[in-house]
């Protein structure tokens, strides 16, 4: 996962489809926001077919991370500045 | 700003996971067809997918440049680049996710090459505007090659 690995992500869902990742975030994360493909979380540009959702869980952010050979993962990492940027968007 | 402003007409060829053998040869064939018609092919992919093509084209007879997939996505997202055409190789769900991202970020005419064992099932996840090129092809590149020939004829006619 490259630079994402440096953030020590907690993997909530592994090797799923991007649609399954979207549904997981909607179902399991109370506070989530729709973002566009290419939206940047820390150093990661999100990949997927709209709508893409990014969740906030306490001090963490939850988002889909797609790898060409291994499918999509739903990961949770420390949110930092990303939380404020997300909350400034409409839900 | 499109790269074509500076360097002529360009086409991004986005490679998927290289586990399906036809991808590498069809990507080279596609690059060859584009270049002979005056379109500069740029290949982007994971390190492994890119190296499979790069090693087969050591003197750059077919491909102009090779670039990292995530770096290209980042530059598209930040509006630092674009292309005139984009060919996305997709044989799995991730390939469709990348194609959908390109559809959103780029003004390029988008072709999604659907191949592998079950290309119709993979195509079912496409909900964005694109031209779909579908061929059941795993080891034998000919079904996909024939479809590419048709598309390249159309691309050239629009040049």
């Amino acid at each position: 996962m490259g630079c994402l690995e440096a953030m020590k992500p907690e993997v909530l869902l592994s090797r799923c489809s991007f649609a399954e990742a979207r549904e997981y975030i909607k179902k399991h994360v109370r506070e989530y926001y729709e973002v566009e493909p290419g939206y940047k979380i820390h150093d990661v540009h999100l990949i997927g077919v709209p709508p893409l959702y990014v969740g906030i869980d306490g001090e963490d952010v939850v988002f889909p991370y797609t790898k060409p050979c291994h499918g999509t993962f739903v990961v949770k990492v420390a949110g930092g500045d990303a939380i404020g940027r997300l909350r400034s968007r409409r839900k | 700003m499109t790269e074509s402003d500076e360097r002529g007409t360009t086409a991004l060829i986005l490679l998927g996971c290289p586990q399906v053998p036809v991808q590498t040869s069809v990507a080279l064939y596609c690059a060859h067809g584009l270049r002979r018609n005056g379109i500069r092919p740029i290949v982007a992919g994971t390190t492994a997918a890119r190296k499979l093509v790069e090693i087969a084209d050591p003197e750059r007879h077919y491909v102009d440049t090779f670039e990292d997939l995530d770096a290209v996505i980042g530059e598209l997202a930040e509006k630092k680049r674009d292309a005139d055409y984009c060919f996305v190789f997709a044989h799995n769900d991730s390939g469709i996710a990348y194609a959908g991202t390109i559809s959103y970020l780029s003004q390029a005419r988008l072709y999604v090459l659907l191949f592998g064992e079950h290309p119709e099932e993979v195509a079912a996840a496409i909900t964005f505007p694109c031209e779909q090129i579908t061929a059941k092809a795993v080891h034998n590149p000919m079904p996909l090659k024939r479809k590419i020939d048709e598309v390249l004829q159309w691309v050239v006619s629009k040049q």
Side-chain angles (χ1 to χ4, degrees):
Chain A
M1 293 187 185
C3 55
L4 183 62
E5 279 178 4
M7 293 186 258
K8 296 184 169 52
E10 178 183 348
V11 178
L12 304 178
L13 195 62
S14 296
R15 297 174 183 258
C16 61
S17 69
F18 61 81
E20 289 168 337
R22 175 196 300 154
E23 291 307 309
Y24 180 93
I25 292 170
K26 273 181 76 175
K27 186 174 178 183
H28 293 90
V29 186
R30 185 175 299 170
E31 182 182 3
Y32 62 86
Y33 299 85
E34 183 174 337
V35 300
E36 62 279 4
Y39 184 81
K40 199 172 182 182
I41 297 275
H42 302 313
D43 285 332
V44 175
H45 290 277
L46 301 192
I47 301 299
V49 178
L52 271 70
Y53 297 127
V54 177
I56 297 174
D57 183 8
E59 299 298 311
D60 299 326
V61 287
V62 177
F63 60 91
Y65 181 77
T66 298
K67 299 181 77 172
C69 296
H70 302 293
T72 298
F73 298 74
V74 177
V75 297
K76 180 158 85 170
V77 300
D81 296 343
I83 290 178
R85 283 198 299 126
L86 284 166
R87 285 185 172 146
S88 68
R89 305 167 68 93
R90 284 173 52 199
K91 193 170 184 179
Chain B
M1 179 179 68
T2 68
E3 288 173 65
S4 59
D5 295 335
E6 299 171 344
R7 294 181 280 186
T9 306
T10 57
L12 272 173
I13 299 174
L14 259 62
L15 304 174
C17 173
Q19 72 180 138
V20 179
V22 297
Q23 175 173 273
T24 300
S25 66
V26 174
L28 278 167
Y29 183 78
C30 185
H32 164 72
L34 292 165
R35 177 173 261 187
R36 73 183 299 197
N37 287 291
I39 300 170
R40 198 166 69 86
I42 300 161
V43 168
T46 62
T47 302
R50 226 169 46 231
K51 287 292 178 190
L52 278 163
V53 179
E54 196 172 352
I55 293 298
D57 186 19
E59 296 187 0
R60 304 287 193 273
H61 287 301
Y62 306 114
V63 178
D64 191 274
T65 51
F66 293 89
E67 300 193 26
D68 177 73
L69 181 59
D70 291 331
V72 168
I73 294 291
E75 289 178 5
L76 288 171
E78 292 163 12
K79 307 294 181 198
K80 291 178 178 172
R81 73 183 304 168
D82 206 345
D84 300 282
Y85 300 96
C86 187
F87 296 79
V88 179
F89 283 76
H91 66 83
N92 60 12
D93 187 77
S94 295
I96 302 302
Y98 274 92
T101 303
I102 294 293
S103 174
Y104 185 86
L105 297 178
S106 171
Q107 299 298 310
R109 188 169 186 96
L110 174 61
Y111 298 91
V112 182
L113 283 65
L114 297 144
F115 61 105
E117 195 66 51
H118 305 289
E120 291 86 1
E121 290 177 20
V122 174
I126 294 179
T127 56
F128 49 86
C130 65
E131 302 287 336
Q132 297 182 32
I133 304 162
T134 307
K136 184 173 179 178
V138 177
H139 297 100
N140 178 6
M142 293 311 289
L144 197 51
K145 183 257 184 200
R146 283 191 282 270
K147 295 284 181 74
I148 290 282
D149 285 339
E150 293 172 16
V151 171
L152 289 177
Q153 279 183 9
W154 191 91
V155 168
V156 169
S157 74
K158 296 293 178 188
Q159 279 280 91

